[in-house]
Amino acid sequence: MNEWIAALGGRQTAEDRVEFDQAAPGAPEPARRALEDTVMIPLVHLGVLDVAGPDAEKFLQGQTSAQVTLADGEFAPLTCFCTPKGRMLANAQLWRVAPEHYRLAMHRSLVGPLVDLLKKFAAFYRVELSVRDDLALLGLIGREAAALAEVRFDIIPPKTWHQAGDADIQVLAHPGPRPRLLTCLPADKAADASQRLAEHATPVGNAVWRLHDIQAGLAWLDASQGDTYLPQMINWEALGGISFKKGCYTGQEVVARAHFRGQVKKRLVRAQLDGSLLPELGSTIRDAEDKSCGEVLAAELDAYGEAEVLAVMSTKEPLLPLHVDGQKLKLLKLPYPIERLDPEALAAK
């Protein structure tokens, strides 16, 4: 279903990676181009799951950290699915496509396992789970992203964590250092849409989108990281990904207890490595005494060829300097405060 990527000149180097050759000698590297101009990105690392049926809202309300009624066709909240012990199995963005029809975007490696889990409960509801391999996810980053979306899709882009569009094409706004839009559309329309967008936006690999996630302090778990972290360990409540005002859902008691008792001993941090070597995901962060104090969750090269990372680290003050596999690590400021952000308030803004 990714013939449209090849038609743009892209190649998939892994199931969740796509790259493009530079357009011309001396052209800016993709990460820098996203800062200076407008780029278009096939988001092959993300997958889509649809939940539809008369009981879709009720079903999701009992499984996910989001207040599902807030996903009203305008607000598109972050959410997560947890074990009974409160550990995240998947985190996602939720939006409503139509009445009784909801859509979730998450790392592609988590879609299948999540479906297998949810099927055990879906049998008791009038609901259908559908893995949507027939949809394409396309990202736009840059100063002309909003204008391009409006012209090419006839959709006025929404504000951050909101959606616009119809049942066929949806545009969602994400945070980041530059304007950033995610478009979900039928795969059979992606070839024409991407060719038209390419007239004004340079196609680049999805490492650029993942870099902007890192710079936004936004971690998307993959299958290797499931059943490991409480939502608060990736700052999910600071991003509005947990409703503390809704009723019960799987893992809710543990998640709420960790919040109200202040028992979170690890937190997501942003950092930069002194060098261009990308660490393996899960690489250990060590302090001045060579003791483990965290692990790398995501890593990409920035516009200056240095590695930026998201990591989950102990909340105890670390003994500096920190390093990962011999590279010095410098902590950076997150673009949001570590405090509870209720999705109810975010939806109302």
Side-chain angles (χ1 to χ4, degrees):
M1 301 296 292
N2 288 336
E3 292 86 355
W4 63 277
I5 297 175
L8 286 173
R11 61 185 187 282
Q12 282 197 239
T13 57
E15 193 175 55
D16 63 350
R17 290 277 176 174
V18 64
E19 295 180 0
F20 290 82
D21 293 327
Q22 284 185 254
E29 291 293 328
R32 182 177 288 275
R33 186 181 288 272
L35 297 179
E36 299 173 350
D37 204 349
T38 305
V39 298
M40 173 181 60
I41 305 167
L43 304 179
V44 297
H45 59 294
L46 299 178
V48 177
L49 171 63
D50 275 10
V51 181
D55 293 337
E57 180 184 315
K58 182 179 179 181
F59 171 72
L60 283 170
Q61 184 73 358
Q63 296 296 327
T64 176
S65 66
Q67 179 68 268
V68 179
T69 55
L70 295 177
D72 58 0
E74 293 185 8
F75 183 52
L78 293 175
T79 189
C80 64
F81 297 82
C82 299
T83 69
K85 294 183 178 181
R87 305 284 171 169
M88 285 187 300
L89 295 169
N91 61 333
Q93 185 176 16
L94 170 70
W95 67 95
R96 196 183 78 176
V97 178
E100 301 182 353
H101 184 179
Y102 295 88
R103 183 159 288 164
L104 291 153
M106 67 197 77
H107 193 277
R108 60 177 298 112
S109 66
L110 290 171
V111 176
L114 185 61
V115 169
D116 291 341
L117 172 71
L118 294 180
K119 278 181 178 179
K120 300 175 184 178
F121 307 99
F124 302 100
Y125 296 84
R126 295 172 298 166
V127 67
E128 182 177 349
L129 307 176
S130 304
V131 179
R132 297 301 303 270
D133 292 328
D134 59 330
L135 296 175
L137 296 178
L138 182 63
L140 287 169
I141 299 178
R143 59 190 179 190
E144 299 299 330
L148 275 176
E150 186 171 354
V151 170
R152 296 307 185 196
F153 299 119
D154 196 24
I155 295 172
I156 297 176
K159 57 188 176 183
T160 302
W161 296 134
H162 285 67
Q163 68 179 92
D166 53 31
D168 194 39
I169 299 176
Q170 302 96 48
V171 174
L172 304 102
H174 283 211
R178 291 292 186 274
R180 196 158 65 124
L181 299 173
L182 180 153
T183 302
C184 179
L185 71 165
D188 59 10
K189 294 185 177 181
D192 178 64
S194 60
Q195 291 291 344
R196 293 167 63 203
L197 288 169
E199 296 173 8
H200 303 282
T202 304
V204 298
N206 64 324
V208 176
W209 186 271
R210 295 164 76 135
L211 170 66
H212 282 238
D213 276 338
I214 289 172
Q215 294 174 338
L218 179 61
W220 297 103
L221 304 183
D222 65 24
S224 70
Q225 299 159 335
D227 198 9
T228 303
Y229 304 107
L230 292 172
Q232 292 95 330
M233 292 180 182
I234 65 164
N235 301 345
W236 215 233
E237 90 283 26
L239 288 159
I242 306 171
S243 172
F244 291 97
K245 299 181 179 181
K246 66 174 285 185
C248 293
Y249 58 92
T250 304
Q252 181 263 347
E253 184 178 349
V254 177
V255 173
R257 187 187 308 125
H259 172 71
F260 290 110
R261 294 186 180 179
Q263 295 175 334
V264 181
K265 297 181 180 180
K266 295 181 178 180
R267 279 288 185 180
L268 188 77
V269 300
R270 277 187 67 212
Q272 187 174 56
L273 295 176
D274 185 15
S276 59
L277 180 64
L278 284 178
E280 294 287 336
L281 301 190
S283 295
T284 301
I285 298 171
R286 299 189 179 277
D287 64 15
E289 295 180 341
D290 207 36
K291 292 181 180 178
S292 172
C293 57
E295 60 272 354
V296 174
L297 209 61
E300 297 293 347
L301 295 180
D302 65 17
Y304 306 98
E306 294 191 313
E308 291 196 30
V309 304
L310 290 177
V312 174
M313 289 186 59
S314 169
T315 55
K316 292 182 179 179
E317 193 72 25
L319 186 62
L320 303 177
L322 303 174
H323 62 93
V324 178
D325 296 332
Q327 291 189 97
K328 186 177 178 180
L329 180 141
K330 179 179 69 173
L331 296 177
L332 302 175
K333 186 177 180 180
L334 284 165
Y336 51 80
I338 302 298
E339 58 187 37
R340 170 175 157 183
L341 174 60
D342 288 327
E344 290 83 1
L346 193 58
K349 287 183 179 179

